[in-house]
Amino acid sequence: MTADGCAQPLWRHPVLRAVAGQTLRPGGLDFTDQAVHLAHIPGDSRVLDLGCGTGATVEHLRSHHALAAVGVDLAIPQGAKKGLPFAQADAQSLPFRDASLGAVICECVLSLLPDQRAALHECRRVLMPGGRLILADLYHRSISTTACTATTTAHSAAKSCVTHALNIDTLRRDLADAGMRVVLLEDHTRLLAELAARMILVGASDILPECPSKRPGYLLLIAVTDGIPTEAHHDDG
Amino acid sequence: MSTLKVLSEDFSNWTCEACGETLVPRPVTLDYLESRFRVELPACPRCGLVLVPESLALGKMAEVERLLEDK
């Protein structure tokens, strides 16, 4: 047990896998499809799934979107299909050259990182000009920045995206500091509620950690690195 | 999305009053507002009538309704 009574991180709980599938996040791969479509990622782009877990998204991006997807995770991916390109690395020290990726996908991962600002700067480093950063994560819908920081610190032992939900104002500032411009920000809290509802239906609501904000939301954010107009697409030449 | 097992009780001794058939577990889709959940519930194999136990309706399903309405 951790200090606040959370037996293990939510994403490691077998029940979450049972109700959320291999992706372990609201919306699953359908939501990833939607995000990739909205981001206008050119085919054949080299795309990083940051915090790839078992690699289900990497495999999906390669098979359904013809993207040259690769995965990075702090832990060695378990149960992943052989032959998929994975690397074990820290989000703050990615094993890619500067400006070498067309997109970085980061779903339910940023909120778990100890230094989100550093991770965003690292994403910016590996993205080519006009590259896309796709973020899907939990965020606080109704809490002041001060209260958010205080309560999140108090729950730091839980290591869950629920207890570490993002603060929108901080996220916007960190993205701007890293040299990325927000081109899309959407609320998809319905997906979070549906996942929580499935947990209730299977009788596992007791493993859901308490969120400091009381009103957690789920967002989709797409940012583009400075350098080319928002709607522009990459040219192969 | 996979079918969720929502009942822990055994309903294998229940029969459909209209058909006389023993109820069997069957995937059922629950719709609420804009959300859809696929769950396993006892149903008549002949007429398709689904049993929603009172404990489920007043317990988990009511809790889900509140969650989705509050969001």
Side-chain angles (χ1 to χ4, degrees):
Chain A
M1 297 284 281
T2 55
D4 67 347
C6 186
Q8 60 180 325
L10 182 60
W11 56 272
R12 280 189 179 161
H13 207 291
V15 174
L16 183 63
R17 184 150 299 174
V19 301
Q22 287 296 311
T23 62
L24 302 175
R25 58 175 182 262
L29 291 172
D30 289 344
F31 190 57
T32 303
D33 290 341
Q34 187 179 343
V36 168
H37 174 72
L38 289 168
H40 301 294
I41 303 172
D44 297 330
S45 290
R46 197 166 180 225
V47 174
L48 167 65
D49 180 23
L50 182 57
C52 63
T54 62
T57 301
V58 171
E59 183 180 14
H60 183 78
L61 292 172
R62 296 179 77 88
S63 61
H64 287 72
H65 294 274
L67 294 169
V70 297
V72 159
D73 204 289
L74 193 56
I76 298 173
Q78 300 291 320
K81 285 189 177 178
K82 291 182 178 177
L84 291 175
F86 294 120
Q88 185 178 11
D90 191 294
Q92 293 174 229
S93 183
L94 297 172
F96 301 99
R97 288 193 298 271
D98 294 357
S100 59
L101 301 176
V104 174
I105 298 178
C106 189
E107 296 176 290
C108 278
V109 169
L110 186 67
S111 54
L112 294 169
L113 299 179
D115 190 339
Q116 296 165 7
R117 188 170 186 274
L120 292 174
H121 275 266
E122 184 67 349
C123 288
R124 173 64 183 91
R125 181 187 68 78
V126 299
L127 281 169
M128 59 181 59
R132 267 63 168 160
L133 174 66
I134 298 175
L135 288 178
D137 219 319
L138 274 80
Y139 76 105
H140 295 280
R141 289 189 296 163
S142 58
I143 190 169
S144 71
T145 303
T146 305
C148 170
T149 303
T151 51
T152 299
T153 301
H155 286 71
S156 59
K159 291 183 180 177
S160 160
C161 53
V162 177
T163 50
H164 282 64
L166 300 173
N167 178 284
I168 285 282
D169 295 337
T170 304
L171 179 60
R172 281 183 177 278
R173 187 193 64 213
D174 289 347
L175 284 166
D177 287 348
M180 289 186 276
R181 187 159 39 94
V182 177
V183 295
L184 182 143
L185 178 59
E186 292 181 346
D187 177 82
H188 290 273
T189 302
R190 165 67 56 174
L191 296 176
L192 180 64
E194 288 178 353
L195 179 56
R198 285 198 289 276
M199 300 286 276
I200 291 170
L201 287 170
V202 300
S205 58
D206 57 324
I207 71 166
L208 289 171
E210 186 177 350
C211 179
S213 76
K214 303 297 181 189
R215 291 190 73 231
Y218 194 65
L219 63 77
L220 170 64
L221 182 149
I222 298 174
V224 62
T225 58
D226 291 335
I228 63 171
T230 302
E231 285 77 22
H233 290 222
H234 293 285
D235 292 326
D236 291 332
Chain B
M1 193 55 68
S2 59
T3 302
L4 304 175
K5 291 191 180 299
V6 297
L7 297 175
S8 54
E9 304 97 321
D10 180 18
F11 290 88
S12 60
N13 59 341
W14 284 59
T15 56
C16 175
E17 188 170 346
C19 307
E21 297 278 349
T22 300
L23 301 189
V24 294
R26 185 182 124 176
V28 173
T29 300
L30 302 178
D31 284 310
Y32 188 77
L33 297 177
E34 301 161 7
S35 300
R36 178 167 288 190
F37 306 97
R38 193 166 172 81
V39 303
E40 187 179 274
L41 289 175
C44 174
R46 180 175 293 181
C47 71
L49 192 71
V50 174
L51 170 67
V52 180
E54 186 179 14
S55 59
L56 178 66
L58 299 180
K60 293 175 180 177
M61 288 174 72
E63 192 177 349
V64 165
E65 282 189 20
R66 284 195 298 274
L67 173 80
L68 295 177
E69 285 173 350
D70 292 345
K71 216 167 47 109

